[in-house]
Amino acid sequence: MSTSNAAPKTAMQRFLDGVERVGNMVPHPVVIFLILIVIVMVLSALFSAFGAAVTFERINAETHEIETATTEIRSLLNADGIRFLYASLIPNFMSFTAVGLMIAAMIGAGVAEESGMVTALIRKLVIVSPAWALTYILSFVGILSSIAADAGYLVLIPLAGVAYLAVGRNPLAGLALGFAAVAGAFTVNMLIKPLDAVLVEFTNDAARLVDSNSSISLASNIWFSIVSVIFLAVVVAFITDRMIAPRLGVYDPALAADGTMTEQGATLSEQESRGLHFAGLGLLGLIIVFCFLTIPSWGPLRNPDTGELIGNSPFMNGLIALIMLIFLVTGWCYGIGAGTLRTLTEVIGAIEKSIKNMGGTIFLFFVLSQFVAYFTYTNIGTVMALSLSGALQAANIGSLPLLLGFIVVVAIIDLLLTGAIAKWAIFAPVFVPLLMKLGVEPEAVLAAYRVGDSPMNAITPLNAYFALVVGFMQRYDRNAGVGTVVALMLPYVVWMFVLWTALFAVWQMLGLPWGL
């Protein structure tokens, strides 16, 4: 990546250039999974030919007695395997429920984004922040912005620079703060978001390699995520105030490039304010409806047999519907108030646009569904997990060191493969069963993945929005480049990774619940 800085490149910049070159050689995720499918086919044939199998003890689900079972690796290249490859192509995709969950969530999110509600809401939160609390509120809102995916990158980061400039602080520090908050904690939120649906579904598919009845809910990491959001918001704000802002010093407007964004968009228009008011009324109405459906003991969304609400109930099992409705209702109400989405036809158009934009993701899911199905059929993951868990149990290494090592591995891989979904599709079938055999809950493995997957997003040039952030910084400093961004983000990445990993370790050692 070229920069506007004519000075000789530092060692760090040369290193990052090398990382970028290597990263550019990494094929498209679809190609990666096609290669992995071929590898699984070949390995299944080889292992099956050598009779690879594992014998283990398990509890019979019907008799609840301990029994001995043997799992063999099945080949995808013999007659049975070829029949499976041919006949299961469509069933594999149709049973891949992550597709349905993602589309349902994006129906609502598409309306909220297209109406302008997400952008206006973020701007409103920035505007009402007191000067003394601006850093902490920006950090908190930046982390929460991941509920709308790209909105944080495209809206919160530049607005953080504008907000800092408006209160007389260095806008580069505001941009760094926004990037660290949006990217460095991307996998956690105080709300359930579409990404959670996919990660949980992959986790359940992997857990069923060990226990066919194993299942975790969409809210399985919610307590850890809520605490992580608060914890990381404080960490990001503290680093900004104590490390980044002092290093940058007083901003020199002479460094700004022509056409720099100053205080443009610092206030909401009358239409936007009315739209947010309408959205609030819509949310209130939706809350009233769901209170009627859940609070009474006879509520139809409670468990009809036990009356339970939090746990195994229609309300929790269909939580994705509530998320979709929140975005859909508030987005449409905002559109009516702001005049951006007035008619049902316009709302349908916003939904269609959102679904069209998912074309690449749906195709990726098609290939992913085949990989998951083939990997499950061969029993490679089961045999690998049982064999490794037996060796690790004998070595008495312990589950916590394995979890911490897993976090480090995910972080390193994230430098070259930034997609959270693609990496978890690879890691889940191996590490979830392995750690389950060591007594670790699937929820804990997923929480460890969240920790490892996020902080590096703020430092790898392979992040799709890294170049965008460089462009934002060049508005305020024409000499800014990749090295500028990396130098600013390194303290965030290091401290967020270390402190968040420590929080995870303490959580695991105390045996605290990860979620619902």
Side-chain angles (χ1 to χ4, degrees):
M1 180 183 298
S2 62
T3 73
S4 60
N5 192 347
K9 292 184 176 181
T10 64
M12 176 62 73
Q13 288 174 317
R14 291 195 297 271
F15 168 75
L16 289 170
D17 287 344
V19 171
E20 183 178 8
R21 285 193 296 272
V22 172
N24 288 337
M25 291 188 287
V26 175
H28 189 282
V30 169
V31 177
I32 292 175
F33 281 100
L34 289 174
I35 294 173
L36 288 175
I37 287 173
V38 173
I39 292 174
V40 167
M41 289 180 178
V42 174
L43 290 179
S44 69
L46 291 175
F47 289 149
S48 178
F50 285 100
V54 63
T55 300
F56 60 100
E57 292 183 345
R58 67 182 181 188
I59 298 178
N60 188 292
E62 297 180 358
T63 65
H64 300 289
E65 296 179 352
I66 297 178
E67 62 181 13
T68 301
T70 299
T71 296
E72 300 177 347
I73 291 182
R74 295 191 290 180
S75 173
L76 284 166
L77 297 181
N78 58 18
D80 289 337
I82 292 173
R83 280 191 287 268
F84 175 79
L85 291 173
Y86 179 78
S88 68
L89 188 70
I90 301 304
N92 291 342
F93 183 58
M94 296 299 293
S95 62
F96 198 63
T97 55
V99 177
L101 293 171
M102 177 68 79
I103 291 176
M106 291 307 297
I107 288 175
V111 173
E113 184 175 356
E114 187 68 16
S115 69
M117 186 194 76
V118 174
T119 301
L121 184 58
I122 291 176
R123 290 172 58 204
K124 178 68 174 179
L125 290 173
V126 171
I127 291 168
V128 301
S129 303
W132 64 268
L134 181 62
T135 300
Y136 290 87
I137 294 178
L138 283 173
S139 176
F140 181 69
V141 174
I143 295 175
L144 292 185
S145 70
S146 65
I147 191 70
D150 295 346
Y153 286 103
L154 301 174
V155 178
L156 190 282
I157 295 176
L159 280 176
V162 172
Y164 258 48
L165 185 63
V167 297
R169 303 184 66 178
N170 196 313
L172 295 181
L175 293 174
L177 160 70
F179 191 27
V182 173
F186 190 79
T187 53
V188 291
N189 207 291
M190 286 188 164
L191 301 173
I192 305 297
K193 55 185 182 178
L195 176 64
D196 295 321
V198 181
L199 297 182
V200 166
E201 191 61 30
F202 284 168
T203 306
N204 283 330
D205 288 342
R208 290 175 189 135
L209 294 173
V210 175
D211 180 1
S212 60
N213 297 318
S214 180
S215 179
I216 63 175
S217 72
L218 282 174
S220 58
N221 277 168
I222 192 64
W223 301 138
F224 179 71
S225 291
I226 289 174
V227 173
S228 294
V229 168
I230 298 172
F231 178 75
L232 293 175
V234 174
V235 170
V236 169
F238 183 85
I239 292 172
T240 302
D241 285 341
R242 298 300 179 92
M243 299 181 187
I244 305 303
R247 175 177 175 269
L248 290 172
V250 179
Y251 175 63
D252 180 6
L255 295 173
D258 293 338
T260 251
M261 180 176 62
T262 54
E263 297 186 28
Q264 181 182 357
T267 59
L268 292 177
S269 67
E270 181 181 348
Q271 291 81 2
E272 289 172 323
S273 297
R274 184 169 61 251
L276 289 179
H277 178 69
F278 276 47
L281 293 176
L283 179 61
L284 178 61
L286 189 63
I287 291 174
I288 292 173
V289 170
F290 270 82
C291 285
F292 178 77
L293 296 174
T294 57
I295 292 179
S297 58
W298 44 262
L301 295 185
R302 287 181 174 270
N303 188 306
D305 298 322
T306 65
E308 184 181 13
L309 178 63
I310 304 300
N312 183 21
S313 69
F315 174 72
M316 293 303 298
N317 293 336
L319 201 57
I320 194 70
L322 174 59
I323 296 169
M324 179 189 72
L325 287 173
I326 288 175
F327 283 109
L328 182 61
V329 171
T330 56
W332 192 1
C333 288
Y334 175 90
I336 293 173
T340 55
L341 288 180
R342 294 183 180 275
T343 67
L344 181 60
T345 300
E346 290 175 328
V347 172
I348 293 174
I351 294 173
E352 290 176 345
K353 180 179 178 181
S354 176
I355 301 302
K356 287 177 182 177
N357 291 337
M358 291 179 59
T361 302
I362 292 174
F363 178 56
L364 173 61
F365 279 2
F366 178 81
V367 179
L368 276 175
S369 67
Q370 309 308 318
F371 170 74
V372 171
Y374 299 162
F375 192 82
T376 302
Y377 174 87
T378 62
N379 289 327
I380 291 177
T382 303
V383 172
M384 183 186 302
L386 291 170
S387 300
L388 288 176
S389 63
L392 291 172
Q393 284 175 324
N396 293 320
I397 295 177
S399 59
L400 183 57
L402 278 176
L403 284 168
L404 297 180
F406 173 60
I407 291 174
V408 173
V409 169
V410 173
I412 293 173
I413 296 299
D414 193 50
L415 286 171
L416 296 177
L417 185 60
T418 58
I421 294 175
K423 287 198 302 295
W424 191 228
I426 297 172
F427 287 137
V430 176
F431 284 97
V432 172
L434 169 63
L435 287 159
M436 283 180 67
K437 292 298 295 179
L438 295 175
V440 178
E441 300 171 328
E443 297 95 321
V445 187
L446 179 56
Y449 179 72
R450 294 180 191 272
V451 175
D453 180 66
S454 293
M456 294 299 178
N457 291 334
I459 203 172
T460 171
L462 300 182
N463 182 340
Y465 294 98
F466 189 92
L468 184 68
V469 174
V470 174
F472 288 152
M473 292 199 172
Q474 287 175 342
R475 296 181 182 182
Y476 299 104
D477 183 352
R478 68 177 70 91
N479 298 318
V482 172
T484 305
V485 177
V486 172
L488 289 174
M489 303 316 297
L490 266 175
Y492 292 111
V493 171
V494 172
W495 285 109
M496 289 178 73
F497 182 76
V498 171
L499 295 177
W500 198 6
T501 301
L503 174 66
F504 172 87
V506 171
W507 199 289
Q508 173 70 4
M509 288 187 293
L510 293 178
L512 299 176
W514 299 99
L516 298 176

